[in-house]
Amino acid sequence: MKTVKHKILVLSGKGGVGKSTFSAHLAHGLAEDENTQVALLDIDICGPSIPKIMGLEGEQVHQSGSGWSPVFVEDNLGVMSVGFLLSSPDDAVIWRGPKKNGMIKQFLRDVDWGEVDYLIVDTPPGTSDEHLSAVQYLSAARLDGAVIITTPQEVSLQDVRKEINFCHKVKVPIIGVVENMSVFVCPKCKKESQIFPPTTGGAEVMCQDLKIPLLGKVPLDPHIGKSCDKGQSFLMDAPASAAALAYRRIIQRIQEFCGHHQPKEEHLVGS
């Protein structure tokens, strides 16, 4: 971890809000600069979807004298996931907490990333063992902060508030919140529809109430799902789309945060 400059957690208290999709496109967006080395670590032990989204299904991890070698999408974009250790994408990982924590520790300690500008850590939903383990293991290695993903409806925001509370309790800086699936724009008539109505004001009102930054809103675009299923970058497939432009603005704000923020080494509460 000493060779990694910036470390970013992607969190959400809610499943199905698009953490892995956002993590993948954050990695793709940062790696468009050939001089930027990017690493994407998937610690969703029970539901590793990053290999599929990044077009790496069937790849395997190789071990060298310096540790595990990540699987590379591009020369400057490496990926590690428990999905690479399974014999089949359909295999279920049925592990108790200590074994999950051991795997996360091994990923953070034994992967030979090399010199990396950004490490993006895609996490499972909730505030469980995996989150606390990742935060504790990264604390000594200077964690920049967390990007929190939500969708507009209250049932999602309810869980996201718990995630924000978790970050405050374990002293993880919050880079900001991203509202996924904000609106749907019809590709034919261009009319906007709210698939997930923000009955309590959505992420914008929540961020105002809690005094944390709203990084941006990503509209619901069917092409995002298609690109993920094909293992391709949506940013390259539909660069002029409203969703791609929203992603790019959000990525720029994250880069600005990391550029100005000097993470401190913290001893975190809980174990």
Side-chain angles (χ1 to χ4, degrees), residues 228-244:
C228 289
D229 282 350
K230 292 178 182 176
Q232 297 171 348
S233 168
F234 168 74
L235 300 177
M236 297 293 289
D237 287 350
S241 66

Side-chain angles (χ1 to χ4, degrees), residues 3 50 52 55 76 84 110 120 126 136 170 180 201 208 223 229 241 244 246 258-259 262:
T3 61
I50 287 296
K52 176 72 173 177
N76 65 332
F84 299 140
D110 296 342
I120 299 149
Q136 286 182 315
V170 299
N180 253 347
Q208 289 170 0
H223 287 100
D229 282 350
S241 66
C258 291
Q262 292 298 322

